[in-house]
Amino acid sequence: MTIITHTREAGTLIEGTAKGDGSNTILKAAGWHWSRNLGTWYVPHTRDSAARRHLINDTAEQLREAGFAVEVEINDTARPAATVEQDKAQRAGERAEALATRAVRRESAAEHAQQLARAADARLPEGGEPIKIGHHSENRHRNAIARANRATRRAIAADQEAKQAAEQADTAALATIRRYNPVTVANRLETLGADLRRAERQLNGHTRTLYKTGDTRYVEASEPAQGDYADRLQARIQELQDQISYWEGVRAEQIAAGMAGNYSPETINKGDQVKFRGSWYEVRRVNRKTVTIPSMVGGSWTDTVPYHELSGHQPKAF
């Protein structure tokens, strides 16, 4: 029996396949990947995400058509945002540690390859002596040059691999820091808020004006969600509310610690100075979500900056 499972903690996995049974062709085509660590096939980026039901059902159908007996088990209950973030931070730390260890190994291998290359160069005739055609030393000389060239190429390749491994380790080490960057947190809250409003509209139904001609308004109406779809939307709304609550707490802590500013139309006025990306600008206009400032590249036009991206504020001097 082949079983496709999905949980928020583990993501989408499959059990009951075996090497050579033909399932790999179907799974690869459907977007599944093989994990040596897990010892099974999985769908990338499905941890703590809603089940991709179309992909799961399509995969199950294709496997059944190929003669497999398939069951599907989906538990789409979301985990608390705090738990999700804790697990992400732990996995990021483990990945950074593993990459740092690999970088050390690659650096050691690169040093060893450079030593071999220097040793191969040292065996060449001194002073760049040319090959003596027809001399008994010709073959030995050519072989020494070939060995030195191969050793040099291996040293260069090993050095490049070591540098790449070090860059990957540095990137992984900064993953959690970047995720909690104050601007990133504020942007995430904006996105989550938009997602929540969209889910609520889909659940409750909504209308929107497509266009207007004279006194006639052409409106598109969306009926409230029903049945299983409504249940999934309600679960999604609860998940989004939990995520918003978590990240609002993070942002409040950042504001209290002075890591982020709490700027808004209530705190900034026209003529004030605001700091953005290290430079100060005079506020030309105060908007609901942004401030208008002079062109950042010196043109005659203006630019707008979201309040949460400002890093400083000075009231207008009277």
Side-chain angles (χ1 to χ4, degrees):
M1 174 64 69
T2 301
I3 305 175
I4 299 176
T5 64
H6 176 86
T7 64
R8 291 301 184 94
E9 182 175 3
T12 304
L13 307 174
I14 189 167
E15 301 174 3
T17 62
K19 186 176 182 180
D21 65 3
S23 60
N24 63 325
T25 302
I26 296 172
L27 295 172
K28 283 181 181 178
W32 293 67
H33 290 195
W34 174 259
S35 170
R36 286 181 295 179
N37 291 334
L38 299 174
T40 188
W41 293 87
Y42 72 102
V43 179
H45 311 300
T46 53
R47 280 179 171 174
D48 290 303
S49 297
R52 301 179 191 175
R53 295 173 186 269
H54 288 299
L55 184 149
I56 291 173
N57 292 334
D58 288 347
T59 301
E61 186 60 30
Q62 291 178 45
L63 288 171
R64 290 184 184 116
E65 290 177 357
F68 293 86
V70 183
E71 289 186 359
V72 175
E73 299 176 358
I74 295 177
N75 181 351
D76 222 1
T77 304
R79 300 195 297 164
T83 301
V84 172
E85 291 303 316
Q86 183 179 2
D87 281 1
K88 283 185 177 180
Q90 181 178 345
R91 289 198 300 271
E94 291 171 350
R95 174 173 169 76
E97 184 177 351
L99 288 172
T101 300
R102 185 173 71 174
V104 171
R105 291 199 303 267
R106 293 285 173 84
E107 184 177 354
S108 177
E111 177 59 30
H112 181 64
Q114 291 169 0
Q115 291 175 357
L116 293 177
R118 289 193 291 268
D121 287 341
R123 286 192 288 270
L124 293 174
E126 295 183 4
E129 181 181 345
I131 297 174
K132 299 177 181 178
I133 307 300
H135 191 267
H136 66 83
S137 65
E138 179 182 353
N139 288 339
R140 184 172 66 253
H141 196 162
R142 290 185 184 278
N143 291 337
I145 292 175
R147 284 194 296 270
N149 287 339
R150 288 195 298 270
T152 299
R153 287 195 295 270
R154 284 195 294 267
I156 292 172
D159 185 63
Q160 291 175 340
E161 290 177 355
K163 289 179 179 178
Q164 183 180 22
E167 290 173 357
Q168 291 174 339
D170 291 342
T171 299
L174 293 173
T176 300
I177 295 175
R178 289 173 175 168
R179 183 168 177 79
Y180 281 78
N181 176 279
V183 172
T184 303
V185 169
N187 286 334
R188 184 175 296 114
L189 280 168
E190 291 282 338
T191 301
L192 289 171
D195 290 344
L196 176 61
R197 293 188 293 273
R198 185 183 305 110
E200 289 174 337
R201 289 195 301 270
Q202 292 169 340
L203 177 64
N204 301 321
H206 66 281
T207 60
R208 64 169 181 161
T209 300
L210 298 177
Y211 59 93
K212 182 180 178 182
T213 304
D215 294 332
T216 304
R217 189 183 301 271
Y218 293 86
V219 176
E220 179 185 63
S222 175
E223 296 296 323
Q226 301 292 330
D228 182 61
Y229 181 48
D231 293 339
R232 293 204 302 271
L233 282 172
Q234 288 174 338
R236 176 60 175 159
I237 288 170
Q238 291 177 357
E239 179 185 6
L240 287 168
Q241 290 171 337
D242 178 53
Q243 291 176 349
I244 289 171
S245 177
Y246 174 83
W247 288 109
E248 283 180 341
V250 171
R251 178 154 177 79
E253 291 177 358
Q254 292 176 338
I255 292 172
M259 298 170 58
N262 191 22
Y263 305 117
S264 69
E266 288 71 38
T267 61
I268 294 179
N269 299 294
K270 182 178 178 180
D272 289 358
Q273 294 286 322
V274 292
K275 190 175 184 180
F276 176 63
R277 295 181 181 176
S279 298
W280 288 91
Y281 301 89
E282 181 182 342
V283 176
R284 294 284 182 84
R285 187 167 58 251
V286 175
N287 313 302
R288 187 168 66 89
K289 292 187 175 183
T290 64
V291 291
T292 302
I293 62 174
S295 168
M296 288 180 282
V297 294
S300 59
W301 57 90
T302 58
D303 291 314
T304 58
V305 180
Y307 289 106
H308 65 261
E309 294 191 24
L310 300 176
S311 58
H313 170 229
Q314 293 179 353
K316 179 181 179 180
F318 292 98

